[in-house]
């Protein structure tokens, strides 16, 4: 039976990424060697890394604008640490928007370095909305936000304009919608949503903001060292970077970020319309902040849980139970999910309505 | 033509690891889903992580001895930072043995934290030997060494007995020989030699040594947090961990570390005998410190370089040019390399002798 994979991440990727990466494990570039056994310094892999770095910038419209792309290890959680190490001055301060669990994790790490101002938080409302109407201290060294909150199903639709570097964790919606990415000075994203499998993290840095914190930075955490080494300061995660390149190539062929955004809007509209129409369901997030990547919703009557769960499982759907912090359901509709899979879920929701 | 892959790392892995991991990318555990698209919290992947962690301890004879195994991100280079963060007291000191480029990298990171005593160094001799006869300050918080120096082709045959935690970077020879691993308190190793593809790092920690530094440790660098989260503090590198499990399963079927050590000794003996016998070649490392993983050697007369290079390439050999710090050649003979491939290299060396 066809599977409809709604996993929040690691998540669905294009079938051609599976096919091509499986082939590369058996025989990479017709070399007679596996992608798993070649040196990261080999010509073939250096070409992979170079193309992945430049394609990431191209897809975001950031080529020739003073940015460098890096594929680092350690996940977005390591960036929580690297960002203040590289940007927060000794005795300086940073401003953070607290819009969810991961934003909160970033705040905790920043506090190791210095004054960390939380400009606004929706924690008291269990992060069911994006805080708005906040002001950012003019003397902050940088402003940090999280564009999409996977757990709660909220997404920032607008970003502030500020006279300081803006850092954004885009782990769960990068490459899914058109933004003026040149508003940001650092963008980082764990690969395991729209970019590839788990195991590598894309970090995009505007070079001119670096080298100003006055801190001595351990080598492995220093963006300047990684840039100088062309993202090969130490052995990169060869296979995850290769599979990410395949995913970015797929996106480019599809027409890029603008083309996939239209598909993502159509998928989100289809599902949210049903959540709002169907009397059995309600959305979990504030309507104006709803994420096009992760739709969180609940049954109005928990007594229907078992019936609904049996029905979606029978339809080949997996990965939609909600995170324990929200409960209910979470349908993650990343770039590679076809609208046909969303239709299957909507049909199950309609069938539930008829059945009871 | 059959390839003989002498790459220093990432490097040759067993063919069954390639076959099984390619299959898992197309359909993992007959789930209809790829290993690249499943949640790290799914039952199937939690089982992979649990088995990989316990099998690593089992193969090293460390089960039930107070150790925990973690699969972390960031490479051994991130451990250079995590070790002092977790073990070096505020105002304390650490003792390091400087036996090569990576040992030196570890020393540089430790210096960010406090007094870092280099107990001995072979840097002046271009690291062609393992320093001996050193003494370690009794008041050091820990002693750090590197068991095998990939670049220079040297390997520690003996380790000191000390009344302090011993930390060892075993990136390039873990699982290749029998040692009393319980002498060590932290063992770490980037996967990309004997354990799997690039992208994950095995860290084995004796739990009782943690929590004593008095430092506040950023969450992502705190071994205790990773242990508490059962190596899932953040999203692990799913595929690299899975391919590492396949490699460890292969090693267990082969008979474990003792069995592979015999094969490794036979391969090393075959090649070093030829290096010593053949008047055209000489070894680069001190004989008593020669590595069984990486044999470094040079032509006595550089004029034969082109002829030799043409011959080994024609024989299907790849990856033997030496590191720029040493020059000449480096033949890396990790666990998965069959002795037949070593024989091919030895035959080429003999053929060169006849040809000129």
């Amino acid at each position: 039976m066809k599977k409809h994979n709604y996993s929040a991440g690691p998540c669905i990727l294009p079938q051609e990424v599976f096919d091509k990466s499986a082939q590369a494990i058996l025989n990479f570039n017709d070399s007679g060697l596996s992608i798993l056994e070649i040196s990261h310094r080999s010509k073939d892999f250096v070409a992979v890394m170079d193309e992945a770095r430049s394609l990431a910038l191209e897809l975001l419209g950031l080529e020739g604008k003073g940015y460098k792309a890096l594929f680092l290890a350690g996940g977005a959680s390591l960036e929580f640490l690297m960002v203040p190490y590289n940007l927060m001055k000794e005795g300086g301060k940073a401003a953070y928007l607290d819009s969810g669990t991961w934003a909160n994790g970033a705040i905790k790490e920043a506090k190791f370095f210095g004054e960390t101002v939380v400009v606004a938080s929706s924690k008291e409302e269990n992060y069911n909305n994006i805080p708005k109407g906040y002001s950012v201290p003019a003397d902050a060294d940088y402003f940090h936000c999280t564009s999409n909150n996977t757990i709660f199903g909220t997404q920032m639709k607008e970003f502030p304009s500020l006279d300081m570097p803006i850092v954004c964790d885009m782990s769960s919606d990068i490459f899914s919608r058109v933004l003026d990415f040149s508003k940001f000075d650092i963008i980082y994203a764990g690969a395991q949503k729209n970019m590839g499998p788990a195991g590598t993290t894309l970090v995009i840095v505007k070079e001119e903001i670096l080298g100003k914190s006055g801190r001595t930075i351990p080598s492995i955490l220093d963006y300047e060292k990684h840039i100088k080494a062309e993202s090969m300061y130490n052995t990169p995660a060869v296979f995850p970077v290769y599979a990410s390149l395949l995913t970015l190539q797929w996106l480019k062929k599809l027409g890029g970020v603008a083309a996939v955004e239209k598909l993502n809007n159509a998928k989100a509209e289809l599902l949210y319309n049903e959540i709002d129409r169907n009397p059995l369901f309600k959305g979990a997030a504030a309507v104006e902040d709803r994420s096009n990547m992760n739709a969180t919703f609940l049954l109005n009557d928990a007594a229907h849980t078992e019936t609904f769960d049996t029905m979606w499982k029978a339809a080949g759907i997996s990965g939609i139970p909600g995170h324990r912090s929200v409960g209910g359901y979470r349908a993650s509709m990343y770039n590679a999910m076809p609208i046909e899979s969303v239709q299957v879920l909507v049909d199950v929701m309609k069938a539930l309505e008829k059945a009871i």
Side-chain angles (χ1 to χ4, degrees), chain A:
Chain A
M1 184 175 59
K2 166 115 179 90
K3 292 280 182 173
H4 308 286
N5 179 11
Y6 279 94
S7 176
C11 67
I12 188 170
L13 292 172
Q15 183 62 40
E16 73 172 62
V17 172
F18 301 145
D19 294 339
K20 288 182 181 177
S21 60
Q23 177 55 39
I25 285 176
L26 298 173
N27 184 1
F28 178 52
N29 277 2
D30 208 21
S31 64
L33 295 171
S34 167
I35 181 103
L36 305 185
E37 66 176 324
I38 61 166
S39 170
H40 59 294
R41 302 279 180 199
S42 65
K43 252 189 218 169
D44 279 357
F45 184 72
V46 170
V48 166
M49 178 61 94
D50 288 349
E51 186 181 346
R53 295 176 69 204
S54 66
L55 190 48
L57 292 179
E58 181 190 329
L59 287 164
L60 300 177
L62 290 177
E63 274 188 323
K65 293 184 177 170
Y67 290 84
K68 295 284 185 187
L70 301 168
F71 284 85
L72 303 184
S77 297
L78 189 61
E79 300 314 310
F80 295 171
L81 184 65
M82 289 178 73
V83 165
Y85 233 136
N86 283 266
L87 300 188
M88 205 195 297
K89 294 188 173 69
E90 292 278 4
K93 69 166 82 159
Y96 278 70
L97 182 65
D98 181 24
S99 61
T101 304
W102 296 105
N104 203 265
I107 290 164
K108 279 184 192 155
E109 293 291 60
K111 285 183 175 167
F112 283 97
F113 293 88
E115 190 184 344
T116 303
V117 180
V118 178
V119 298
S121 173
S122 50
K123 193 173 186 177
E124 292 295 309
E125 300 96 54
N126 198 32
Y127 296 122
N128 73 357
N129 67 88
I130 301 285
K132 294 168 201 78
Y134 49 85
S135 65
V136 177
D139 60 344
D141 295 325
Y142 64 92
F143 171 72
H144 180 283
C145 57
T146 310
S147 59
N148 187 76
N149 302 283
T150 328
I151 292 176
F152 304 95
T154 63
Q155 188 172 32
M156 293 179 77
K157 308 297 177 182
E158 291 186 358
F159 296 85
S161 291
L162 298 167
D163 284 332
M164 65 184 73
I166 299 183
V167 180
C168 189
D169 176 356
M170 293 194 188
S171 290
S172 53
D173 70 353
I174 196 164
F175 300 119
S176 75
R177 59 172 170 166
V178 175
L179 291 174
D180 177 4
F181 293 100
S182 70
K183 281 189 76 162
F184 303 93
D185 299 87
I186 293 184
I187 295 167
Y188 62 89
Q192 65 270 16
K193 317 283 186 182
N194 281 322
M195 196 175 67
T200 188
T201 308
L202 175 65
V203 182
I204 290 172
V205 188
K206 194 161 198 180
E207 275 195 281
E208 66 181 29
I209 69 164
L210 298 177
K212 296 178 176 172
S213 75
R215 287 182 197 267
T216 315
I217 307 168
S219 306
I220 189 74
L221 302 182
D222 186 343
Y223 290 130
E224 290 189 298
K225 287 215 167 60
H226 287 286
I227 289 171
K228 196 175 164 203
E230 301 189 322
S231 204
M232 297 263 204
Y233 174 75
N234 63 337
T235 311
V238 170
F239 179 81
V241 172
Y242 177 66
S244 296
L245 171 62
L246 294 176
T247 311
L248 296 177
Q249 287 172 334
W250 167 85
L251 180 57
K252 184 176 176 177
K253 274 188 292 181
L254 192 77
V257 175
V260 87
E261 182 182 33
K262 279 186 201 164
L263 301 174
N264 288 332
N265 287 346
K267 289 183 284 181
E269 196 183 345
L270 177 60
L271 182 55
Y272 283 120
N273 280 349
E274 179 61 17
I275 290 168
D276 292 340
R277 185 208 63 77
N278 193 319
L280 300 182
F281 294 96
K282 63 179 173 194
V287 172
E288 69 274 17
D289 299 326
R290 280 175 168 175
S291 166
N292 278 5
M293 294 286 99
N294 318 94
T296 47
F297 59 101
L298 301 114
L299 279 162
N300 283 311
D301 183 350
H304 301 137
T305 303
E306 202 182 321
T307 310
F308 184 53
D309 290 358
T310 305
M311 289 173 73
W312 58 256
K313 282 176 194 165
I317 288 169
S318 69
I320 69 162
H323 190 277
R324 64 180 180 282
S325 329
V326 180
Y329 301 94
R330 171 176 54 176
S332 297
M333 301 168 286
Y334 295 113
N335 284 355
M337 171 158 283
I339 196 163
E340 292 74 16
S341 287
V342 181
Q343 188 62 56
V344 169
L345 174 57
V346 167
D347 290 346
V348 170
M349 293 165 77
K350 287 183 195 293
L352 181 72
E353 185 188 8
K354 279 190 192 153
I356 58 178

